[in-house]
Amino acid sequence: MASTMPFLNRLLRPFTTSTHMSLNPETAAQNFPANAQKCTVAAGCFWGVEHLFRKHFDGKGLLDARVGYIGGDSSNPSYRAVCSGRTGHAESLQMTYDPDQLSYSTLLQFFYKMHDPTTKNRQGMDTGTQYRSAIFFHNEDQEKEAKEITDKVQKQWWKSGTISTEILPAGQWWDAEDYHQKYLDKVPGGYECPAHYIRSYPPLT
């Protein structure tokens, strides 16, 4: 029975009634350096994605990380609506980072190590377009780098499957409800997708 508990917890993920969402207005004027940049990715359930990125990059150039919704067709989507799969949004993570300390390439390589990009619209037992793998670029340089890294990891890391990761321009971002921010800090032992762990791959060449 114990082995089924994480999945049961996943089924019971809370549908908060809070309406507090925002457009992430540059994350409320925090004191970020002038050269701060954004990196936006989707890799399945955003609780575990945020937790892993924060765990590995806090204090190493990661300035902020917010879970939210992107890539959909409706405005101000709720968690319940996104989970229905009808809004087109992906559960995502938007990070603000200092490129003098942390590179976009490092973040994307970590992204490809911490989830399975070959399972289209699925991570572990979480299935639906809201759990798709995607990189949402913020400028042409990011688009170019995302495509180059994806090509390399396909050939060198994920050779046994076909990467399904979408590479798309970052459109409207919506912060998820407050309850979901740093969820696994608030709920230790809460649900983490079993596909979210760090694979041991050699450096890209």
Side-chain angles (χ1 to χ4, degrees):
M1 179 66 180
S3 63
T4 66
M5 288 305 294
F7 181 54
L8 293 176
N9 289 341
R10 178 67 177 81
L11 292 177
L12 298 173
R13 286 178 70 182
F15 292 110
T16 176
T17 57
S18 169
T19 58
H20 180 68
M21 285 176 282
S22 73
L23 304 182
N24 192 16
E26 300 309 307
T27 318
Q30 295 189 41
N31 293 320
F32 296 145
N35 66 338
Q37 297 184 21
K38 291 189 182 298
C39 173
T40 304
V41 297
C45 174
F46 52 21
W47 293 345
V49 179
E50 179 193 32
H51 185 69
L52 281 176
F53 271 94
R54 284 188 177 277
K55 179 179 179 181
H56 284 265
F57 295 113
D58 270 352
K60 300 176 183 177
L62 182 65
L63 304 173
D64 187 55
R66 304 283 296 176
V67 296
Y69 316 117
I70 195 171
D73 304 317
S74 62
S75 297
N76 200 31
S78 68
Y79 177 69
R80 182 185 293 273
V82 172
C83 281
S84 75
R86 293 192 295 268
T87 72
H89 292 88
E91 289 194 18
S92 304
L93 179 69
Q94 187 164 95
M95 296 167 278
T96 304
Y97 67 98
D98 182 347
D100 288 341
Q101 301 181 56
L102 179 61
S103 72
Y104 188 63
S105 174
T106 296
L107 289 170
L108 292 191
Q109 289 182 52
F110 184 82
F111 163 79
Y112 276 120
K113 289 180 179 179
M114 58 73 56
H115 81 299
D116 184 347
T118 69
T119 53
K120 187 174 182 178
N121 297 329
R122 178 172 63 85
Q123 288 298 306
M125 293 177 286
D126 300 335
T127 303
T129 57
Q130 66 271 33
Y131 303 119
R132 64 189 181 271
S133 175
I135 298 169
F136 298 93
F137 58 85
H138 292 268
N139 54 52
E140 291 182 358
D141 288 341
Q142 286 192 353
E143 178 184 15
K144 181 175 182 289
E145 193 160 14
K147 289 179 177 179
E148 289 174 350
I149 291 174
T150 300
D151 183 62
K152 287 184 178 181
V153 301
Q154 176 69 84
K155 294 174 180 176
Q156 299 178 40
W157 290 355
W158 292 96
K159 294 178 284 188
S160 62
T162 300
I163 288 178
S164 64
T165 303
E166 299 175 351
I167 300 175
L168 301 168
Q172 180 65 67
W173 171 267
W174 302 91
D175 272 351
E177 297 85 344
D178 288 344
Y179 186 83
H180 298 291
Q181 308 300 332
K182 298 184 180 179
Y183 176 81
L184 290 172
D185 289 344
K186 299 171 183 174
V187 186
Y191 174 79
E192 291 186 69
C193 176
H196 290 164
Y197 62 91
I198 313 306
R199 281 82 175 167
S200 297
Y201 286 126
L204 293 176
T205 58

